């Protein structure tokens, strides 16, 4: 414990106090002793003559000398420093009496068992009632502990200023308390504007998954591996879908007797481009395998028309909900040889109800009632792919849109690819998606064109062999 008048040691840094009549409560020395012993840093004090007047428990822990052994000694000479270093150390410490502010020094002290400890000290003058220096106080800690603290502080400052990934401290209410510059840019908002706001105001989608992860970390601790979360960020150009690889660390107060969660440190990095590349590569591998499998299965079909439906069925997997094959009425048409409007006859279609293999139809040869400007007719006229979508409309309007084009009523997105073989147009293959899928993209059109080439070859062969 630190020195106090109750132990018989004179406190030369404080004014004399009258004796109390009885134990009516803690006196000033008791309070001072409690404050000193509760400090995390080691602290000692010297009077103007260099005599030790105070010594707290942290100083005792570091050096092994108790307060009773330290208080009253003159400087550190002969016990806490080597004789060769005593004069220099005492001079540095006592020079703080005449210097303004605090002074920082590093030197080696001796422990009670004879070991040496390198410490970093901060010393400053203690003023008496007249304003003149009455002594020196010296706070010290082991250099490695001080360096660890400085590293921690430097790491925190670097994370919140210069880190190349987002760092957000989220409080126990799941609201951002601190946001670094990178995270603010990723969220599309200022660093101070994000503080204290619900995550739902910062993200358009993905909030539920993120909040669930944060809640789990608060309750159970950090997960063993990073998590990839897809979110939508609000921007002036609209919502942007991003994939963030997230790490979480639960924060607890080091000052509480029991761990009290202060919140969660959420670190994330944008990996959208990499994830999209992985998804595109996986999709390309799947579609290439489907084309390969379809070609092998079609090669075993005796009927070329059946081979065309085999290609259609393999193409549907993961690509579309419905598919149709329409052939030009009267046979294939060479470029520029069509006389009048082109009419199309349905030759194959997927079942409109329960899923199943495509069915050959159109034996009667009756043209499909496609209106002017129908995507399939446009596809024939352009000899190129055509995409169509109903857009954001009510369900009843989307149903009417599909039925008016002779498609299943649940279709909302369409992709038509022309069937070409030997320089002639044979017809059109149409792929249809329901509302649960996204609209067709350019990469989908490329795949549809690959399928169309194979279907066209099978239909052309069927015409040659008369089937």
């Amino acid at each position: 414990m630190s020195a106090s008048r109750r132990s018989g040691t004179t406190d030369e840094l404080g004014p004399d106090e009258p004796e109390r009549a009885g134990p009516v409560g803690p006196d000033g020395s008791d309070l001072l002793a409690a404050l000193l012993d509760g400090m995390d840093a080691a602290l000692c004090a010297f009077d103007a003559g260099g005599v030790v007047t105070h010594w707290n428990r942290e100083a005792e822990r570091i050096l092994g000398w108790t307060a009773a052994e330290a208080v009253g000694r003159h400087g550190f000479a002969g016990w806490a420093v080597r004789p060769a270093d005593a004069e220099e150390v005492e001079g540095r410490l006592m020079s703080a009496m005449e210097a303004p502010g605090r002074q920082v020094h590093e030197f080696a002290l001796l422990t009670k068992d004879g070991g040496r400890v390198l410490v970093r000290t901060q010393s400053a003058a203690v003023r008496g009632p007249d304003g003149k220096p009455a002594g020196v106080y010296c706070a010290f800690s082991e250099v490695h502990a001080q360096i660890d603290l400085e590293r921690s502080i430097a790491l925190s400052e670097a994370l919140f200023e210069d880190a190349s990934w987002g760092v957000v401290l989220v409080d126990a209410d799941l609201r951002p308390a601190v946001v670094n510059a990178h995270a603010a840019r990723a969220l599309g908002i200022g660093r101070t504007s994000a503080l204290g706001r619900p995550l739902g105001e910062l993200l358009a989608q993905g909030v539920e998954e993120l909040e669930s992860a944060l809640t789990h970390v608060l309750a159970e601790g950090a997960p063993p591996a990073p998590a990839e979360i897809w979110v939508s960020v609000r921007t002036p150009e609209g919502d942007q879908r991003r994939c963030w690889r997230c790490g979480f660390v639960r924060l607890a107060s080091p000052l509480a007797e029991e761990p009290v969660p202060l919140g969660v440190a959420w670190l994330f990095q944008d990996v959208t481009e990499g994830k999209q590349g992985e998804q595109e590569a996986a999709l390309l591998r799947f579609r290439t395998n489907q084309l390969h499998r379809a070609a092998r299965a079609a090669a075993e079909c005796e009927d070329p028309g059946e081979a065309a439906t085999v290609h259609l069925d393999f193409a549907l997997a993961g690509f579309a909900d419905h598919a149709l094959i329409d052939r030009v009425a009267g046979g294939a048409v060479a470029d520029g040889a069509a006389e009048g409007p082109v009419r199309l006859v349905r030759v194959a279609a997927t079942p409109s109800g329960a899923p199943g293999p495509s069915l050959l139809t159109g034996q009667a040869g009756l043209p499909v009632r496609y209106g002017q400007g129908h995507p399939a007719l446009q596809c024939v006229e352009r000899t190129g792919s055509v995409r169509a979508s109903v857009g954001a409309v009510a369900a009843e309007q989307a149903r009417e849109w599909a039925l008016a084009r002779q498609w299943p009523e649940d279709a909302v997105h369409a992709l038509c690819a022309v069937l070409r073989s030997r320089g002639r147009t044979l017809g059109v293959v149409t792929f249809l998606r329901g509302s649960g899928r996204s609209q067709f993209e350019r990469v989908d059109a490329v795949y549809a064109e690959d399928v169309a080439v194979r279907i066209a070859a099978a239909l052309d062969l069927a015409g040659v062999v008369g089937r």
Side-chain angles (χ1 to χ4, degrees):
M1 62 178 289
S2 63
S4 67
R5 292 188 184 85
R6 187 177 56 187
S7 62
T9 304
T10 303
D11 181 359
E12 296 184 20
L13 299 184
D16 293 334
E17 296 182 1
E19 294 294 333
R20 295 181 182 270
V24 296
D27 60 14
S29 61
D30 294 326
L31 177 59
L32 179 59
L35 290 174
L36 294 180
D37 288 338
M39 294 176 63
D40 292 330
L43 186 137
C44 64
F46 304 87
D47 63 12
V51 176
V52 178
T53 60
H54 292 78
W55 191 266
N56 73 348
R57 287 183 178 175
E58 185 64 12
E60 177 181 342
R61 185 193 68 79
I62 294 176
L63 298 180
W65 302 97
T66 65
E69 294 170 322
V71 173
R73 291 180 180 265
H74 188 281
F76 287 153
W79 62 288
V81 295
R82 297 189 308 171
D85 299 332
E87 184 177 353
E88 179 186 359
V89 170
E90 184 175 351
R92 287 188 183 184
L93 291 177
M94 301 309 294
S95 67
M97 291 182 60
E98 307 299 333
R102 293 180 297 176
Q103 291 189 326
V104 179
H105 301 287
E106 288 185 7
F107 43 73
L109 296 181
L110 295 178
T111 62
K112 188 175 181 179
D113 58 8
R116 297 183 69 194
V117 178
L118 185 62
V119 299
R120 178 173 296 174
T121 66
Q122 294 187 36
S123 54
V126 176
R127 306 289 175 179
D130 56 358
K132 295 181 180 180
V136 174
Y137 81 83
C138 173
F140 64 91
S141 60
E142 298 174 83
V143 166
H144 71 82
Q146 183 72 18
I147 292 176
D148 288 344
L149 176 61
E150 292 178 1
R151 284 174 178 161
S152 298
I153 295 174
L155 174 62
S156 298
E157 292 180 350
L159 285 175
F160 288 108
E161 295 297 336
D162 306 321
S164 59
W165 56 86
V167 182
V168 180
L169 296 190
V170 182
D171 63 21
D173 294 329
L174 306 186
R175 294 172 183 258
V178 184
V179 179
N180 78 339
H182 187 96
R185 289 193 298 270
L187 293 168
I189 194 171
R191 295 181 63 177
T192 57
S193 302
L195 304 184
R197 297 175 60 180
L199 293 174
E201 296 182 6
L202 306 178
L203 299 173
Q205 294 181 357
V207 178
E208 295 81 3
E209 186 176 0
L210 178 58
E211 289 184 342
S212 176
L214 293 170
T215 302
H216 172 80
V217 174
L218 283 171
E220 305 293 337
E228 293 177 352
I229 301 178
W230 283 92
V231 301
S232 290
V233 182
R234 296 186 178 93
T235 67
E237 295 78 22
D239 293 349
Q240 291 186 355
R241 188 161 171 77
R242 314 300 298 172
C243 181
W244 290 344
R245 180 170 292 143
C246 303
F248 304 94
V249 179
R250 182 169 62 179
L251 303 178
S253 173
L255 303 179
E257 294 183 2
E258 297 182 359
V260 176
L262 294 178
V264 176
W266 166 34
L267 296 84
F268 65 90
Q269 189 173 26
D270 195 318
V271 294
T272 306
E273 294 184 3
K275 292 299 295 182
Q276 289 177 341
E278 292 176 6
Q279 293 175 350
E280 291 172 1
L283 182 61
L284 179 60
R285 287 194 301 270
F286 174 76
R287 290 179 175 178
T288 301
N289 290 335
Q290 287 297 97
L291 291 174
H292 174 72
R293 294 172 61 197
R296 291 177 60 88
E300 302 300 323
C301 295
E302 182 178 354
D303 182 1
E306 182 183 352
T309 61
V310 167
H311 284 292
L312 194 66
D313 291 336
F314 273 94
L316 275 178
F319 182 68
D321 299 314
H322 305 286
L324 315 168
I325 298 177
D326 297 326
R327 191 164 186 172
V328 175
V333 178
D335 294 344
E339 297 179 359
V342 175
R343 295 183 300 169
L344 299 174
V345 177
R346 181 72 45 79
V347 296
T350 53
S352 57
S358 301
L359 304 175
L360 291 171
T361 61
Q363 286 79 5
L366 299 177
V368 185
R369 294 180 294 105
Y370 286 153
Q372 186 177 4
H374 191 281
L377 297 178
Q378 294 182 38
C379 181
V380 173
E381 294 171 1
R382 301 176 184 178
T383 62
S385 300
V386 175
R387 287 176 284 170
S389 181
V390 67
V393 298
E396 185 60 30
Q397 290 179 288
R399 180 176 177 275
E400 294 174 357
W401 178 84
L403 294 177
R405 287 158 179 76
Q406 309 301 312
W407 292 334
E409 61 183 22
D410 60 339
V412 296
H413 308 296
L415 171 59
C416 299
V418 65
L419 302 176
R420 298 276 294 177
S421 179
R422 293 189 293 162
R424 301 171 304 153
T425 299
L426 278 67
V428 178
V429 58
T430 302
F431 296 98
L432 301 169
R433 289 178 177 175
S435 57
R437 295 176 180 263
S438 61
Q439 63 184 8
F440 290 98
E441 303 292 342
R442 177 55 193 159
V443 65
D444 298 322
V446 172
Y447 178 62
E449 291 166 359
D450 286 342
V451 176
V453 169
R454 290 161 170 77
I455 294 176
L459 292 180
D460 196 10
L461 180 59
V464 172
V465 300
R467 294 195 180 187

